[in-house]
Amino acid sequence: MKANFKEIRKNRIYSEEFKKEIVYLYESGKFSVLQLERLYGIGNASIYKWIYKFSTFNEKGVRVVEMKDSTIDKLKQLELKIKELEQAVGQKQIKIDYLEKMIDIAKDEFNIDIKKNSNTPQSSGSLRTKKK
C-alpha cells in the first residue's frame, strides 16, 4: 500500500540585506549571475528580480543582459595563439636545418658519420642486469 505524501515546497525567504548584498556582489563585478547562483544556491530568476529591484545602476524599463566573452575576442585570441605557434615551429625548423647542415659538414670535412647507420651494433647498456 502506497502512502500519500504531499510534496513539500521549499520556499526560501531571504532578508532584504541579503538581497542587497547579492546585488552589490553582482554590480561590483566580482561575480556573475551564474556564479552567484551556484555559490548561494539561488535561482537566477530571483537574482535578476533583485537586480531590477535594488540595483543602483538599473533604470526602470531597462533589461539587464549579462554579456559573455564575445566570439570576436575569442577569435582574436586564437589567431594570436596560432601566430605564436607558427613562430615557434619556424624557429624549430631553422634549428633543424642548422643541425643537419652541421652534420653534413662534419661528414665532409672530418669523415665523421653522426647519423646512425643500420649496421651499428647495439650498445651494451640496454641489456638487462641480473638481480643479486
Side-chain angles (χ1 to χ4, degrees), residues 5-131:
F5 290 108
K6 287 188 177 181
E7 186 176 322
I8 299 174
R9 289 185 156 197
K10 295 179 183 179
N11 289 337
R12 297 181 191 168
I13 299 174
Y14 299 100
S15 67
E16 193 168 312
E17 295 83 26
F18 178 75
K19 294 174 185 179
K20 287 181 180 180
E21 180 67 24
I22 296 294
V23 172
Y24 171 75
L25 289 172
Y26 171 73
E27 286 181 344
S28 66
K30 294 178 183 175
F31 297 99
S32 67
V33 173
L34 180 64
Q35 290 170 332
L36 290 168
E37 179 182 0
R38 290 181 180 166
L39 187 64
Y40 291 101
I42 305 168
N44 64 3
S46 297
I47 296 173
Y48 280 116
K49 284 180 190 175
W50 300 342
I51 291 171
Y52 293 134
K53 186 174 182 180
F54 298 112
S55 176
T56 56
F57 302 113
N58 188 28
E59 298 175 16
K60 196 165 194 157
V62 177
R63 185 174 184 183
V64 175
V65 177
E66 196 173 6
M67 298 299 289
K68 305 290 181 197
D69 291 336
S70 70
T71 56
I72 294 173
D73 290 339
K74 286 183 182 179
L75 184 62
K76 286 181 181 179
Q77 290 173 350
L78 290 173
E79 287 175 348
L80 181 63
K81 184 73 173 175
I82 289 171
K83 186 177 180 180
E84 291 171 358
L85 292 173
E86 286 176 343
Q87 185 177 14
V89 168
Q91 290 173 348
K92 294 292 182 186
Q93 187 61 46
I94 290 172
K95 190 172 183 178
I96 289 169
D97 293 343
Y98 172 78
L99 292 173
E100 286 181 354
K101 185 66 175 173
M102 293 301 292
I103 290 170
D104 291 341
I105 291 172
K107 184 178 180 183
D108 292 341
E109 292 187 15
F110 302 109
N111 292 328
I112 300 172
D113 190 17
I114 297 174
K115 291 183 180 179
K116 276 213 171 206
N117 292 331
S118 60
N119 59 359
T120 304
Q122 190 175 14
S123 68
S124 62
S126 63
L127 297 174
R128 291 187 177 195
T129 57
K130 294 182 180 180
K131 293 183 181 179

